[in-house]
Amino acid sequence: MTRSKAYASIQNSVKAIDWKLLIFLLFFLNVKLAVKLVALLFIYIARPDFKFGFRFKNSRLPLFYLIVIGIAFMNWIIAGPTFNMNYMLVVSTGIVFWAACILAIHQVKMAVEKNDPLVIHNTLFLFFIINAIASYVIYTGIVLETGTINPFRYQGNFQKYFMGTGDYIKGISFDTSTTNAVINAFGVLYFLDRKNAGMTLLCMFTLLLTASNFTNLVLCGVFAWLFIFSSNKNQKSIIVVCLMLIVLFMVKISPQNNRYLQEAYSNYFNNIPRGVNKNVITANFDIRQNENGMISEAERKQKIAKAYIDSMDKVIVQRRLPKLADTTPASVLLMKAEQIIIPPPNIHSDSFQHKNDTTLLQKRLLGFSGQQSSVFPLANQLKPAVKLPGKIIALQQTVRYFQQHPQKIIAGAGIGNFSSKLAFKATAMKVAGGYPAKFAYINPDFESNHFDLYLSFFTRQEKLHSLTNNPHNVYDQLLAEYGLAGITALVFLYFFFFAKHRRKLTYGIPILIFTAAILFADYWFEQLSVIILFELLLLLNIKETGMQKIATHVNA
């Protein structure tokens, strides 16, 4: 009897999860494009249905996707290099990306329509558990490799991890750590509204492991909105705990990320040239150097203090060394009789310093830009003289482009011609995935603007390879390549598609606000990743709240 009950319980648990949807999410979020296509093939074999339900009024799916495909096609016919085979492949690839978005949201919509909301909630619960497990398995591997529970402070192995540890925590998608951070931020907001403190904190811990400063800042802004306008006493307590965890992580676990934020703030608002860290004193600096080509007075004092401390350390060590035979190894320090203490390794030695070796990709990009120095003025400067983040400069380039080409402002420069993952991919330089070299395509407008900007940062030292310097940005993409028509479609045919149900949205509102902000971070639609999770959460929220209101009305 007990066995039969246990079996029935397991059977009910299995039935309470949409396994097809779960498998689809796990594979579709994978970084490999081939795996994403396999995910779409799997779900359409499992649920063959192509009734998308697009309508001008009360459309079942956002018309945004059809509009951008239409704009891309019309741009190609009217103003594009129509008979350029390489560009035809670019246009076709771009349309396939948008079509994949339609196929994905259609399946998500069907899953929500055909299942009880509880089934989708159980599926999402398991999805976030699997993603957390994958993240912690990766972190455990780093801990075993480094031999320390906190690799964020581990400077060995040429600082392979250290402040960059979060870059390795990619979760179930194996994509960038930013992707994992966004997924977990969705989880934090979703479980917070569902009053599941345990899962909220689990997603928060996993988010912190990615060390995504941008995601943390956006999430803090959403927390502030929730705390003031839309949370009860228990939710406020959890929000406070999450904020305290962020502070604890920045101060104790990874203080170098805190210093990085402070430095970035100083760089942007105190007119300090990009790439220059005023708190770092190069070992070869002469203490007597001044600001006329050298160091400031504050830096000179810091240098003197450091030299004094180093000299005192040497004196202390020499006093503690007993007068033994010259054969005594220098690395062995005898503190007391019959007690041998081996000093810890010197973290200032070469093996503890970050290696700024030029990667194969950087060499390829440097060679490419060097051959066309006139086309890449920013990339071929000896030093990055810009004082603004790359994303801001990218937007400035887009505005300047429209000032020079006002006829393009309505429909944009055309798909793959100015600002998109596709534009980077089509270079065949492997900066955004693979692409057949014989079909490489680089539009001159993209080449002299965003590509030049990208090269100017990402061919230099690694600390410039940040999200803030990457020109990737959905708003910039839609404005530059689809014009005012594209950006208008995003606002009124995509965001408003969900926002018009605002009276039915609970966790959907903060997730919508969060998503609107993180679209500044990457070309998320072309990534074919986190957008599908956003759409699932919003569609689920609209359905379940609508069902609750109907039930309340019937009972009344």
Side-chain angles (χ1 to χ4, degrees):
M1 189 71 177
T2 305
R3 288 184 179 179
S4 62
K5 285 184 177 180
Y7 177 76
S9 177
I10 294 173
Q11 199 173 33
N12 291 333
S13 298
V14 170
K15 289 180 179 179
I17 294 172
D18 186 340
W19 293 99
K20 295 174 183 177
L21 175 63
L22 178 63
I23 293 171
F24 171 69
L25 289 176
L26 294 176
F27 281 85
F28 191 75
L29 285 165
N30 189 278
V31 65
K32 297 292 185 181
L33 181 59
V35 178
K36 295 178 188 294
L37 296 178
V38 168
L40 286 171
L41 182 63
F42 160 78
I43 197 66
Y44 273 90
I45 291 175
R47 291 173 177 162
D49 187 295
F50 294 92
K51 298 176 182 178
F52 300 113
F54 285 112
R55 291 183 292 270
F56 286 108
K57 187 176 181 180
N58 297 324
S59 181
R60 179 174 170 273
L61 301 177
L63 284 170
F64 162 74
Y65 290 121
L66 286 184
I67 294 299
V68 293
I69 290 175
I71 295 172
F73 186 77
M74 292 302 297
N75 263 334
W76 174 53
I77 295 298
I78 296 172
T82 310
F83 299 105
N84 184 320
M85 292 300 296
N86 287 22
Y87 186 62
M88 287 178 65
L89 180 60
V90 170
V91 174
S92 302
T93 304
I95 291 176
V96 166
F97 280 139
W98 290 116
C101 292
I102 295 175
L103 293 173
I105 190 175
H106 174 54
Q107 284 292 337
V108 162
K109 178 72 171 177
M110 278 206 305
V112 171
E113 290 171 341
K114 294 183 176 182
N115 284 303
D116 184 272
L118 182 60
V119 173
I120 306 297
H121 285 308
N122 292 337
T123 305
L124 284 167
F125 177 87
L126 186 54
F127 168 80
F128 284 108
I129 288 289
I130 293 172
N131 185 66
I133 291 173
S135 300
Y136 286 105
V137 166
I138 296 171
Y139 185 78
T140 301
I142 296 174
V143 168
L144 294 175
E145 180 182 346
T146 59
T148 175
I149 195 68
N150 182 14
F152 288 94
R153 285 180 175 243
Y154 178 72
Q155 297 187 55
N157 200 6
F158 301 102
Q159 296 183 9
K160 175 183 177 182
Y161 298 109
F162 195 41
M163 73 176 295
T165 300
D167 295 340
Y168 294 88
I169 313 299
K170 299 180 178 182
I172 198 66
S173 71
F174 301 103
D175 204 339
T176 63
S177 59
T178 304
T179 300
N180 193 19
V182 171
I183 290 172
N184 282 285
F186 284 154
V188 169
L189 298 173
Y190 167 68
F191 289 113
L192 177 65
D193 181 82
R194 291 186 58 76
K195 302 177 180 61
N196 189 332
M199 285 300 296
T200 301
L201 294 178
L202 176 64
C203 290
M204 192 70 224
F205 285 134
T206 312
L207 167 60
L208 290 175
L209 286 183
T210 65
S212 175
N213 294 323
F214 177 80
T215 308
N216 287 340
L217 287 172
V218 173
L219 187 60
C220 285
V222 178
F223 276 156
W225 181 86
L226 282 170
F227 192 91
I228 297 171
F229 300 108
S230 182
S231 58
N232 56 37
K233 185 176 180 180
N234 291 333
Q235 290 170 326
K236 283 180 169 61
S237 300
I238 297 175
I239 289 173
V240 171
V241 171
C242 289
L243 292 173
M244 290 175 63
L245 287 173
I246 293 175
V247 172
L248 179 64
F249 179 83
M250 299 294 287
V251 174
K252 294 294 184 181
I253 307 299
S254 183
Q256 61 274 10
N257 272 296
N258 187 29
R259 289 194 293 270
Y260 173 81
L261 284 176
Q262 293 174 351
E263 178 190 340
Y265 179 86
S266 297
N267 286 344
Y268 300 150
F269 296 101
N270 295 339
N271 294 323
I272 297 174
R274 294 285 300 159
V276 177
N277 183 354
K278 68 177 182 179
N279 296 318
V280 175
I281 308 300
T282 306
N284 294 327
F285 274 169
D286 189 329
I287 294 176
R288 296 166 296 180
Q289 292 173 339
N290 55 38
E291 60 184 7
N292 293 324
M294 309 301 181
I295 64 176
S296 66
E297 180 65 20
E299 291 171 329
R300 188 178 69 82
K301 291 179 180 179
Q302 184 178 353
K303 179 71 174 177
I304 293 172
K306 183 179 183 300
Y308 175 77
I309 293 172
D310 290 344
S311 63
M312 290 302 296
D313 286 342
K314 292 180 181 179
V315 171
I316 293 172
V317 169
Q318 289 174 355
R319 288 180 178 178
R320 289 178 175 176
L321 283 171
K323 295 180 180 180
L324 299 176
D326 294 338
T327 56
T328 302
S331 62
V332 177
L333 180 61
L334 297 178
M335 301 292 293
K336 298 179 181 178
E338 300 180 357
Q339 182 180 5
I340 299 178
I341 299 177
I342 300 177
N346 179 13
I347 63 171
H348 299 294
S349 60
D350 291 340
S351 62
F352 284 84
Q353 307 311 306
H354 181 71
K355 297 175 71 174
N356 287 319
D357 294 343
T358 306
T359 65
L360 291 176
L361 175 60
Q362 284 179 304
K363 290 179 181 178
R364 190 185 310 122
L365 295 175
L366 283 168
F368 181 77
S369 62
Q371 293 172 2
Q372 306 178 65
S373 57
S374 60
V375 180
F376 301 108
L378 292 176
N380 285 285
Q381 289 179 349
L382 294 178
K383 293 183 179 180
V386 293
K387 300 175 183 178
L388 290 172
K391 286 195 184 299
I392 301 299
I393 299 171
L395 290 172
Q396 291 176 339
Q397 289 179 336
T398 302
V399 172
R400 194 179 306 117
Y401 172 77
F402 284 127
Q403 289 174 342
Q404 297 169 352
H405 305 85
Q407 72 278 10
K408 299 281 189 180
I409 196 168
I410 300 299
I415 189 170
N417 280 338
F418 198 92
S419 175
S420 59
K421 181 179 180 180
L422 179 61
F424 284 95
K425 181 186 283 288
T427 64
M429 302 296 291
K430 297 183 179 180
V431 295
Y435 196 86
K438 65 179 180 179
F439 294 111
Y441 171 83
I442 306 178
N443 186 277
D445 295 323
F446 166 67
E447 188 175 43
S448 60
N449 286 283
H450 282 23
F451 196 39
D452 181 27
L453 178 65
Y454 177 87
L455 293 175
S456 71
F457 285 110
F458 287 81
T459 57
R460 303 184 193 275
Q461 52 188 315
E462 191 172 338
K463 64 181 178 181
L464 294 176
H465 305 179
S466 65
L467 184 147
T468 56
N469 287 330
N470 200 320
H472 298 7
N473 179 335
V474 168
Y475 298 108
D476 187 32
Q477 174 191 6
L478 290 170
L479 180 61
E481 294 192 354
Y482 303 87
L484 291 177
I487 202 74
T488 302
L490 176 69
V491 174
F492 292 101
L493 298 179
Y494 188 76
F495 284 140
F496 188 71
F497 175 85
F498 301 103
K500 68 183 179 182
H501 301 285
R502 57 190 176 277
R503 296 183 184 278
K504 297 179 182 179
L505 295 176
T506 54
Y507 55 82
I509 293 292
I511 289 177
L512 183 60
I513 296 171
F514 176 82
T515 303
I518 61 101
L519 291 187
F520 284 104
D522 211 330
Y523 299 123
W524 288 116
F525 286 102
E526 289 181 308
Q527 290 283 85
L528 299 176
S529 58
V530 299
I531 291 297
I532 193 61
L533 190 57
F534 158 76
E535 292 168 341
L536 173 59
L537 289 168
L538 269 289
L539 291 171
L540 173 62
N541 196 193
I542 291 169
K543 177 182 177 177
E544 65 177 335
T545 309
M547 289 177 62
Q548 291 170 2
K549 288 187 175 182
I550 291 173
T552 302
H553 179 72
V554 170
N555 293 332

